[in-house]
Amino acid sequence: MDQLVRRITVVLVNESKHVVVELKESCRFAPRGIYSYKIELVPLSHRNIPATFFHRRAIDSSRPTAVKIFVDGVYSNVALTPRDFIRCFCIIVRVDENGEVRVGGIKATTRLDHLRRIGYILYYIILYVSST
């Protein structure tokens, strides 16, 4: 449990090559199409956000939230909860050839996993630097 408390950020990764992935926060009972926060991930990119960001926003608004995933502006029928961002160190979004969205996460568990994650983050930093 202490590694979850010490962990500050979550890495969001878009591994697709041609599509823009958007994560939009939707509060319960909000009108359709109204989102309180949006994160855009361009192809082959990553972004760091605070691990408890969506959880704190849900507590502040006193309404449950869901983070919906949109691919090229179309809702993919995939949603994450604020707890998913707390449990996972890295959330990876992939879009396959059929247009299906695959979401995976690397959970924050042991110190050995921390070493693997460091290697994983270095890989994405190198990938990002080489693409710019």
Side-chain angles (χ1 to χ4, degrees):
M1 180 65 181
D2 63 343
Q3 64 265 34
L4 297 179
V5 174
R6 284 184 280 146
R7 193 172 48 78
I8 298 170
T9 61
V10 174
V11 180
L12 297 172
V13 179
N14 179 3
E15 285 192 344
S16 59
K17 295 181 181 176
H18 303 293
V19 296
V20 175
V21 175
E22 292 179 319
L23 284 77
K24 298 180 181 181
E25 182 185 28
S26 175
C27 293
R28 190 173 191 184
F29 305 120
R32 178 177 249 177
I34 303 297
Y35 302 102
S36 56
Y37 191 77
K38 298 176 187 176
I39 298 174
E40 184 175 307
L41 295 171
V42 295
L44 299 175
S45 70
H46 72 280
R47 182 157 177 202
N48 295 334
I49 63 166
T52 58
F53 180 76
F54 292 112
H55 183 69
R56 280 195 318 259
R57 288 175 59 89
I59 290 172
D60 291 343
S61 68
S62 300
R63 298 186 336 185
T65 62
V67 180
K68 297 180 179 181
I69 298 177
F70 289 77
V71 176
D72 287 336
V74 179
Y75 179 51
S76 64
N77 291 326
V78 177
L80 300 170
T81 64
R83 190 169 187 151
D84 293 330
F85 290 90
I86 294 173
R87 285 183 180 170
C88 295
F89 174 83
C90 182
I91 296 175
I92 304 163
V93 180
R94 295 183 185 99
V95 181
D96 62 11
E97 300 83 26
N98 301 329
E100 291 185 30
V101 176
R102 306 279 184 200
V103 178
I106 300 174
K107 291 187 178 179
T109 55
T110 64
R111 296 194 189 282
L112 180 60
D113 288 338
H114 289 296
L115 294 175
R116 289 183 192 141
R117 281 188 225 107
I118 290 170
Y120 188 74
I121 289 172
L122 289 175
Y123 168 75
Y124 276 102
I125 290 172
I126 292 169
L127 183 68
Y128 176 74
V129 169
S130 66
S131 67
T132 57

